[in-house]
Amino acid sequence: SQQGEEDPQALSIQEGENATMNCSYKTSINNLQWYRQNSGRGLVHLILIRSNEREKHSGRLRVTLDTSKKSSSLLITASRAADTASYFCATERGAQKLVFGQGTRLTINP
Amino acid sequence: DVKVTQSSRYLVKRTGEKVFLECVQDMDHENMFWYRQDPGLGLRLIYFSYDVKMKEKGDIPEGYSVSREKKERFSLILESASTNQTSMYLCASSLAGSSSYEQYFGPGTRLTVT
């Protein structure tokens, strides 16, 4: 069963704009992770936020976590063409496994 | 630099063939995973392994088996390939006991069964 659900399913913006993606989940978590997948490739880990954190930054990425609403958001600032990819949130499902959402397809237009 | 490699990027097989997908990681990770990824369905876990010779079924194990004879290698086997197994297959590994469960992925194998 899918734990995380991303929203929107697809997002298209102009280069230089900010992109925001959201993830909702159902059960309590210890942490939430975001991954990126370039077309036809494997997933790459971007950032992890723990349940006792509200916000975390890494370069142009900002992740927020609201455990009361069971939701997280990923903000990419000053987007670039190279940010075109699918983005997935992932939460643990016990026994060291992760469950991934279906992803947001982000397209950055030049 | 951590690395997970998969034996093929693209593979075309015929219905009924036995198919082997190989995954190797060089990070001394205990945990290894096989997923398939299909449009609209996201990543679905097929099998995972916590250690050599250990395996557990994931969400969609039917039609698949796995083998882990060495710590660094995790093989996915399609006993008799069918067209509904046409998909992108992703292998991943993670460190046991890690509090984050962060997974490292290979580049994927796009399998077409005709």
Side-chain angles (χ1 to χ4, degrees):
Chain A
S1 61
Q2 293 293 336
Q3 163 83 307
E5 294 294 335
E6 289 91 345
D7 171 58
Q9 291 189 352
L11 180 62
S12 181
I13 61 173
Q14 295 300 121
E15 195 167 14
E17 293 180 342
N18 296 341
T20 300
M21 289 155 271
N22 303 296
C23 169
S24 60
Y25 56 92
K26 297 174 184 172
T27 61
S28 61
I29 59 171
N30 293 315
N31 62 67
L32 184 143
Q33 306 179 38
W34 285 91
Y35 288 77
R36 182 188 74 226
Q37 183 181 34
N38 290 93
S39 181
R41 308 294 294 184
L43 280 69
V44 174
H45 182 263
L46 292 176
I47 193 167
L48 177 149
I49 186 164
R50 300 195 185 278
S51 59
N52 60 355
E53 298 175 310
R54 291 295 168 261
E55 189 171 308
K56 198 162 182 181
H57 297 253
S58 176
R60 292 183 296 112
L61 305 180
R62 189 188 91 169
V63 170
T64 61
L65 180 65
D66 186 335
T67 53
S68 66
K69 295 181 179 178
K70 292 187 169 58
S71 68
S72 174
S73 67
L74 171 67
L75 168 68
I76 302 174
T77 60
S79 63
R80 305 167 182 170
D83 295 327
T84 293
S86 292
Y87 292 82
F88 296 84
C89 66
T91 54
E92 77 268 27
R93 55 182 282 191
Q96 303 193 38
K97 294 180 293 213
L98 295 176
V99 60
F100 293 84
Q102 293 193 19
T104 292
R105 285 193 318 279
L106 174 65
T107 302
I108 308 299
N109 301 303
Chain B
D1 218 11
V2 297
K3 198 151 189 182
V4 180
T5 57
Q6 294 183 230
S7 50
S8 305
R9 290 281 287 121
Y10 300 94
L11 207 53
V12 179
K13 295 292 182 179
R14 295 194 181 276
T15 301
E17 279 193 83
K18 190 168 186 176
V19 181
F20 291 86
L21 302 182
E22 304 284 341
C23 175
V24 178
Q25 50 96 4
D26 66 359
M27 297 165 283
D28 203 34
H29 284 171
E30 292 81 4
N31 302 328
M32 295 188 76
F33 307 84
W34 274 107
Y35 298 90
R36 64 176 283 177
Q37 184 179 26
D38 301 286
L41 296 176
L43 274 76
R44 292 181 290 169
L45 182 63
I46 305 172
Y47 266 99
F48 60 101
S49 169
Y50 291 131
D51 203 347
V52 176
K53 297 192 187 297
M54 303 287 286
K55 60 184 179 183
E56 290 199 26
K57 294 179 181 179
D59 300 315
I60 50 163
E62 296 78 18
Y64 303 94
S65 62
V66 290
S67 172
R68 190 153 180 216
E69 296 297 317
K70 293 185 177 181
K71 189 175 184 179
E72 67 270 19
R73 189 179 297 268
F74 192 35
S75 302
L76 179 70
I77 304 154
L78 286 65
E79 297 290 343
S80 178
S82 64
T83 55
N84 63 13
Q85 292 178 311
T86 291
S87 187
M88 169 71 105
Y89 289 89
L90 294 167
C91 174
S93 70
S94 71
L95 188 63
S98 163
S99 61
S100 70
Y101 303 168
E102 177 183 342
Q103 293 186 8
Y104 296 83
F105 282 80
T109 295
R110 188 166 294 281
L111 173 67
T112 302
V113 182
T114 62

